[in-house]
């Protein structure tokens, strides 16, 4: 059965910033075909750009598919993209016959062709992991806000025992140096003032004999680009060159997301993290020597199989010892096909819940303390959006804190100097000095 070619599209993103980037690139492809972005309820084509990292991801996708059915019983064209698509594959269309397209994270550049195939009455599944092909066929970047994402690296070879990423995103692969400088320039021409380099293991980026530190130094030379960030890093790939960039490149913001996951060596080993508590602490010592004011952020997993109370205490103590400014914490969630899912000693949910609560209480306390320590400081803020009140704007400090400002005649994208006058757990209040060159 053939259908009419869709004229409008809606992309629903789940999960990480890499999915946000992929979603933007998909939107650009459809816009280049003359299709309009629209609300989920009205779109002819709905793309669910899914995440598989934790809990019941697939179940959420199936229930969302059910909700896409319209009142008259019809459905839009439905594409399932992202990591659930990669992990579940053809199973998705078998379980949910409404799904027309299943496309993995490395094949989404073929979406327009796949949509054409569906309109001709063919079903379409593409779960190739072909590496970098997609970047060559995506349209040039033309639209962005003041902050933009740029995927430089994809995939993961680390095989932490709890994690699905190496299976859904494939092996570590780096985009070529020149392509990245080119895309960064296009983003700046389109209005970006800050670029966040993205990769599952962004600091493993390596191409044409260069490492991430060199790429950052090259981007530093782009006029009009004011801030550079990168995420997510693996401790083992924190090279001396990258650490030195934190000391030398002014545009590189003093913020590092460096997941540690746990504070106990036996657990780190069972997780196959390939760093120890001490080696992690030594790395951040070097980073702090290069950039003393750096804000460190982490990811933590509680309730990994076999984790004892005492081992969990080591997680609480590394959180304090490393003085994390911000952290993301998760209850261990068994992922089908990963080694940890079948390990002995799976932890009872009540125990994991209790550990998570204790961890989060300490994370929040540290975050508040970090924010309070910025009160009285003078700093720059990149304005990203309007606030809830008249004349209020919200931006980010160099340390990625959200800062609320009142001011006349300011625009999104301005970088302003403020005095931080108040701090809460989630945001700061800034008072405007004079405007820095916009
Ligand atoms: N269970 C819980 N948390 C997980 N993460 C990855 N896999 C799992 C899992 N199976 C967390 C890690 C990682 C972050 C993106 O998600 O902390 O750094
Ligand atoms: Fe997953 Fe570990 Fe790779 Fe991070 S480094 S994506 S946690 S396997």
């Amino acid at each position: 059965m053939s259908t009419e070619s869709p004229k409008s599209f809606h992309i629903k993103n789940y999960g990480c910033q890499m999915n946000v980037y992929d979603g933007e690139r998909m939107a650009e492809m459809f816009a280049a075909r003359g299709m309009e972005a629209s609300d989920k309820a009205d779109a002819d084509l709905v793309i669910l750009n899914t995440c598989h990292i934790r809990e019941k991801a697939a179940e959420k996708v199936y229930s969302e598919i059910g909700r896409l059915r319209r009142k008259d019983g019809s459905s839009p064209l439905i594409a399932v993209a992202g990591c659930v698509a990669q992990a579940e594959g053809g199973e998705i269309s078998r379980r949910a016959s409404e799904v027309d397209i299943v496309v993995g994270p490395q094949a989404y550049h073929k979406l327009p062709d796949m949509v054409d195939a569906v309109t001709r009455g063919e079903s379409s599944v593409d779960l190739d992991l072909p590496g970098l092909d997609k970047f060559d066929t995506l349209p040039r970047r033309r639209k962005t806000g003041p902050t933009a994402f740029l995927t430089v690296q994809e995939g993961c070879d680390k095989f932490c025992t709890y994690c699905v990423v190496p299976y859904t995103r494939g092996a570590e692969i780096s985009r070529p140096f020149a392509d990245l400088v080119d895309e960064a320039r296009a983003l700046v021409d389109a209005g970006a003032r800050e670029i966040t380099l993205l990769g599952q293991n962004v600091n493993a980026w390596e191409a044409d004999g260069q490492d991430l530190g060199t790429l950052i130094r090259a981007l530093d030379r782009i006029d009009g680009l004011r801030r550079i960030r990168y995420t997510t890093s693996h401790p083992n790939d924190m090279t001396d060159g990258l650490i030195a960039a934190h000391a030398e490149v002014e545009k590189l913001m003093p913020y590092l997301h460096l997941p540690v996951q746990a504070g106990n060596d036996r657990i780190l080993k069972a997780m196959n993290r390939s760093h120890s508590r001490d080696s992690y602490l030594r790395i951040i010592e070097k980073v702090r020597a290069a950039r003393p004011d750096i804000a460190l952020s982490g990811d933590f997993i509680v309730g990994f199989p076999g984790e004892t109370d005492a081992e969990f205490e080591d997680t609480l103590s590394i959180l304090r010892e490393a003085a994390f400014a911000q952290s993301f914490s998760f209850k261990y969630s068994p992922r089908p096909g990963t080694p940890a899912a079948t390990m002995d000693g799976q932890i009872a949910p009540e125990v994991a819940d209790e550990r998570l609560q204790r961890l989060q209480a300490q994370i929040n306390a540290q975050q508040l303390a970090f924010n309070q320590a910025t009160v009285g400081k003078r700093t720059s803020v990149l304005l990203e959006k309007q606030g809830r009140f008249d004349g209020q704007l919200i931006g980010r400090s160099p340390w990625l804190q959200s800062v609320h400002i009142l001011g006349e005649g300011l625009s999104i994208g301005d970088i302003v100097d403020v005095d931080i006058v108040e701090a809460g757990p989630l945001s700061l209040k800034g008072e405007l000095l004079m405007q820095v060159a916009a």
Side-chain angles (χ1 to χ4, degrees):
M1 191 189 66
S2 60
T3 7
E4 242 178 79
S5 212
K7 298 190 177 48
S8 58
F9 67 94
H10 178 86
I11 299 172
K12 183 166 170 147
N13 278 319
Y14 301 78
C16 67
Q17 291 155 321
M18 301 202 53
N19 268 9
V20 175
Y21 175 89
D22 292 343
E24 283 170 8
R25 306 299 317 253
M26 292 176 201
E28 288 161 354
M29 280 191 300
F30 291 119
R33 279 170 54 117
M35 288 170 63
E36 300 233 359
S38 86
D39 286 349
K40 194 166 62 182
D42 308 321
D44 299 333
L45 166 67
V46 174
I47 296 146
L48 304 176
N49 194 20
T50 60
C51 169
H52 202 230
I53 196 99
R54 285 176 295 273
E55 294 279 22
K56 301 188 189 112
E59 299 315 311
K60 273 191 230 158
V61 174
Y62 289 116
S63 62
E64 180 66 32
I65 293 167
R67 282 198 297 275
L68 290 175
R69 193 185 298 274
R70 301 186 183 112
K71 283 201 190 80
D72 65 4
S74 69
S75 293
L77 284 183
I78 300 175
V80 178
C83 292
V84 173
Q86 193 68 39
E88 294 268 298
E91 178 65 19
I92 297 182
S93 1
R94 281 190 287 280
R95 265 186 70 179
S97 57
E98 309 90 311
V99 172
D100 304 283
I101 295 173
V102 179
V103 62
Q106 305 291 28
Y108 66 77
H109 57 299
K110 299 187 207 156
L111 263 170
D113 288 345
M114 295 172 86
V115 168
D116 288 343
V118 168
T119 57
R120 289 194 303 269
E122 300 157 23
S123 77
S124 215
V125 175
D126 196 324
L127 301 169
D128 266 6
L129 287 171
L132 296 173
D133 293 7
K134 65 171 181 260
F135 293 107
D136 297 332
T137 54
L138 295 169
R140 192 170 166 82
R141 318 293 313 260
R142 292 184 199 287
K143 253 179 69 185
T144 171
T147 61
F149 289 139
L150 171 51
T151 292
V152 304
Q153 180 279 341
E154 290 196 64
C156 182
D157 297 339
K158 308 284 193 292
F159 290 93
C160 299
T161 52
Y162 50 80
C163 186
V164 284
V165 166
Y167 311 96
T168 57
R169 288 263 172 177
E172 280 176 17
I173 187 158
S174 295
R175 294 179 63 191
F177 182 81
D179 291 10
L180 295 172
V181 175
D182 209 43
E183 188 169 326
R185 284 221 180 86
L187 285 167
V188 172
D189 289 346
R193 325 251 9 234
E194 172 180 294
I195 291 181
T196 301
L197 307 177
L198 296 182
Q200 263 93 29
N201 276 285
V202 70
N203 58 343
W205 181 85
E206 193 177 27
D208 313 311
Q210 327 259 19
D211 70 359
L212 191 69
T214 326
L215 178 63
I216 287 169
R217 286 165 203 272
L219 301 183
D220 183 37
R221 292 194 286 275
I222 298 179
D223 282 342
L225 179 62
R226 300 287 298 275
R227 291 178 161 196
I228 303 169
R229 302 181 183 276
Y230 62 95
T231 196
T232 291
S233 294
H234 191 283
N236 287 6
D237 295 316
M238 252 1 259
T239 59
D240 289 344
L242 178 57
I243 293 174
H246 276 283
E248 291 157 23
V249 178
E250 217 180 299
K251 291 180 187 176
L252 184 57
M253 292 292 104
Y255 184 95
L256 176 64
H257 183 58
L258 195 65
V260 62
Q261 313 294 0
N264 174 273
D265 282 344
R266 194 190 71 84
I267 294 293
L268 288 170
K269 197 149 194 263
M271 287 177 163
N272 192 32
R273 283 296 291 175
S274 66
H275 61 78
S276 65
R277 178 188 177 100
D278 269 359
S279 68
Y280 181 90
L281 290 170
R282 275 201 307 275
I283 293 159
I284 59 166
E285 217 171 276
K286 276 209 245 173
V287 176
R288 286 204 165 109
R291 184 76 210 223
D293 69 336
I294 202 150
L296 180 68
S297 109
D299 285 345
F300 293 90
I301 296 177
V302 302
F304 186 80
E307 185 187 64
T308 64
D309 284 336
E311 287 163 344
F312 169 65
E313 292 297 328
D314 289 341
T315 290
L316 291 175
S317 76
I318 201 168
L319 177 65
R320 274 191 300 267
E321 193 172 339
F324 284 93
Q326 206 200 356
S327 289
F328 305 90
S329 53
F330 311 101
K331 197 162 62 160
Y332 168 70
S333 152
R335 308 282 65 213
T338 61
T342 50
M343 282 179 186
D344 291 340
Q346 301 285 326
I347 302 294
E350 318 76 79
V351 175
D353 280 333
E354 202 250 341
R355 287 180 189 166
L356 188 65
Q357 273 180 24
R358 284 183 61 201
L359 182 64
Q360 287 181 340
Q362 197 185 312
I363 288 171
N364 293 344
Q366 284 185 207
Q367 185 165 334
L368 179 60
F370 180 82
N371 286 349
Q372 281 169 341
T374 43
V375 174
K377 280 194 183 156
R378 185 161 288 184
T379 188
S380 70
V381 173
L382 169 55
L383 302 178
E384 291 183 9
K385 56 183 183 193
Q386 302 290 343
R388 266 193 293 153
F389 309 109
D390 248 10
Q392 189 192 44
L393 286 132
I394 302 177
R396 297 255 180 200
S397 76
W399 306 280
L400 209 62
Q401 296 148 301
S402 180
V403 186
H404 295 222
I405 296 167
L406 284 178
E408 300 282 301
L410 299 175
S411 309
I412 307 292
D414 287 350
I415 295 176
V416 294
D417 266 353
V418 303
D419 282 329
I420 303 298
V421 292
E422 250 179 69
L426 298 178
S427 66
L428 309 175
K429 191 168 152 198
E431 265 173 17
L432 205 56
L433 302 172
M434 54 177 222
Q435 207 163 317
V436 176

